[in-house]
Amino acid sequence: MIERLEVAPAVGPAAEVESLMSRLPAMEAFAEVEHRFGVLPLVDACFATPGPAAAAVAPPRRGALGLFTPAPEPGWEAAAVVGETSGAGLLLSGEVRLPGPAADGALVLVRLEGPEHRLAWLDHGAPGVERRGS
């Protein structure tokens, strides 16, 4: 049985999250936490910086993680977005879950032919992108 537990003051990411949650409306704070502690580290780890991906998530833009399928199928094979080569880019089709409307775009997992998968930036304002729900 613990009679008394002393907890040190929050420092580092915990303090930053606490600060965001105390000064921003809830949905905006959640989106900012996802951007700072989910999107930015993933962009830093997976993309050349500086580069197009880093520019896409640079302030004042905010990114989300669109890595989850609408169906609960586990594994990489359940990538929600299918990509086909189109000129120098990709033509994407599919659906992803996003936590809310407070992001300008999302990193999505794209399934290409065969075993190849890529992360791609999906700008929510791009032609052909349709947001439904939230």
Side-chain angles (χ1 to χ4, degrees):
M1 174 185 218
I2 299 174
E3 291 183 24
R4 183 171 181 207
L5 178 64
E6 290 188 31
V7 178
V11 295
E16 193 171 348
V17 169
E18 192 173 293
S19 172
L20 288 167
M21 297 304 289
S22 68
R23 62 185 169 80
L24 295 174
M27 291 306 290
E28 189 175 345
F30 294 146
E32 189 63 24
V33 167
E34 179 179 29
H35 176 74
R36 289 186 191 186
F37 300 105
V39 173
L40 293 180
L42 191 58
V43 167
D44 286 344
C46 297
F47 297 93
T49 53
V57 296
R61 297 177 54 81
R62 184 183 288 152
L65 297 172
L67 305 177
F68 308 101
T69 64
E73 301 161 5
W76 290 109
E77 303 315 313
V81 179
V82 176
E84 19 176 308
T85 304
S86 176
L90 291 173
L91 178 61
L92 305 178
S93 62
E95 294 182 0
V96 293
R97 289 183 182 172
L98 297 175
D104 300 299
L107 285 175
V108 297
L109 179 62
V110 178
R111 182 177 62 241
L112 300 171
E113 287 188 36
E116 188 176 359
H117 291 77
R118 292 186 187 173
L119 286 176
W121 174 257
L122 180 63
D123 195 304
H124 295 165
V129 174
E130 178 186 346
R131 287 197 65 134
R132 291 179 276 184
S134 65

